[in-house]
Amino acid sequence: MDAEQLYQRRIASRFDAFDQDGNGYISREDFSTAASRVLEEFGKRYRSDAGQSLANGAEAFWQGVAGIADVDGDQRVSRQEFVHGAVKRLRDNPERFAEIARPFVRGLLLVADQDDDRRATTGEVERALRALGVDAHAAALAAESLDVDRSGLVDEEEAVAAFARYFVTEDPGAADH
């Protein structure tokens, strides 16, 4: 398998993280489901400031993904559209994906932050990732890897950059720890 095939295969596997209901498409509902799961996990209300931040971030994230990948305009993104959109439009510009994801990541960190100091601990991030369907071991490793300075806290910049690397990096092993 050549590097291009490996990359496309890796991006296709990322599709499953977005397809929260497993119906074979990414849609607005998948993003609102993800937000609802995180809100429920942390006992936060939708109408709270953090809840609104996450809900608005989920909608912005959906709009960004749809804008990049919903080629036929049917308000859902197939696996093929996602792979094509990620490979063709984001491979050379992971910063674009980071900016699309930023409002969602910001909202996620606000919801996960249990002491309202505007910083999430690695444990809180791990819990949020598990709520999104990430298995416990991978969630623990991911949360730990986000704490670049080993302070026990995860900041928005580190989280957004890591999220973009995970979804659009070319090196198949770069973010698969």
Side-chain angles (χ1 to χ4, degrees):
M1 192 176 296
D2 69 15
E4 179 71 14
Q5 290 170 320
L6 281 171
Y7 178 70
Q8 287 189 20
R9 187 173 178 189
R10 183 169 186 271
I11 294 301
S13 74
R14 301 306 185 237
F15 176 89
D16 295 332
F18 285 117
D19 184 12
Q20 292 281 301
D21 60 12
N23 70 354
Y25 293 93
I26 301 170
S27 66
R28 172 178 279 114
E29 290 75 25
D30 290 307
F31 286 85
S32 61
T33 296
S36 293
R37 287 179 178 166
V38 172
L39 288 169
E40 184 177 321
E41 172 65 27
F42 288 95
K44 300 260 178 132
R45 293 185 335 266
Y46 175 81
R47 295 199 182 275
S48 68
D49 289 344
Q52 285 293 291
S53 179
L54 182 60
N56 292 338
E59 176 62 21
F61 200 4
W62 159 245
Q63 291 295 329
V65 169
I68 288 170
D70 185 16
V71 177
D72 60 12
D74 66 354
Q75 291 298 298
R76 60 185 194 170
V77 176
S78 68
R79 184 179 299 272
Q80 182 178 358
E81 286 175 316
F82 183 77
V83 170
H84 176 77
V87 171
K88 301 297 182 199
R89 298 186 180 147
L90 296 174
R91 173 184 249 170
D92 296 327
N93 191 359
E95 296 81 19
R96 182 173 179 204
F97 188 81
E99 291 313 308
I100 290 168
R102 181 178 297 281
F104 180 76
V105 172
R106 179 181 299 130
L108 182 83
L109 293 173
L110 284 172
V111 168
D113 175 20
Q114 294 296 283
D115 62 6
D116 295 322
D117 67 355
R118 303 196 58 85
R119 302 177 299 178
T121 67
T122 55
E124 291 165 343
V125 170
E126 180 182 343
R127 231 175 110 192
L129 292 172
R130 286 194 326 264
L132 292 172
V134 177
D135 76 66
H137 180 70
L141 289 174
E144 186 178 317
S145 72
L146 292 175
D147 182 15
V148 176
D149 64 1
R150 301 294 176 236
S151 66
L153 302 170
V154 176
D155 74 33
E156 182 179 323
E157 292 307 314
E158 292 168 335
V160 167
F163 196 73
R165 279 193 312 274
Y166 179 75
F167 279 98
V168 300
T169 188
E170 184 170 347
D171 176 5
D176 279 340
H177 304 300

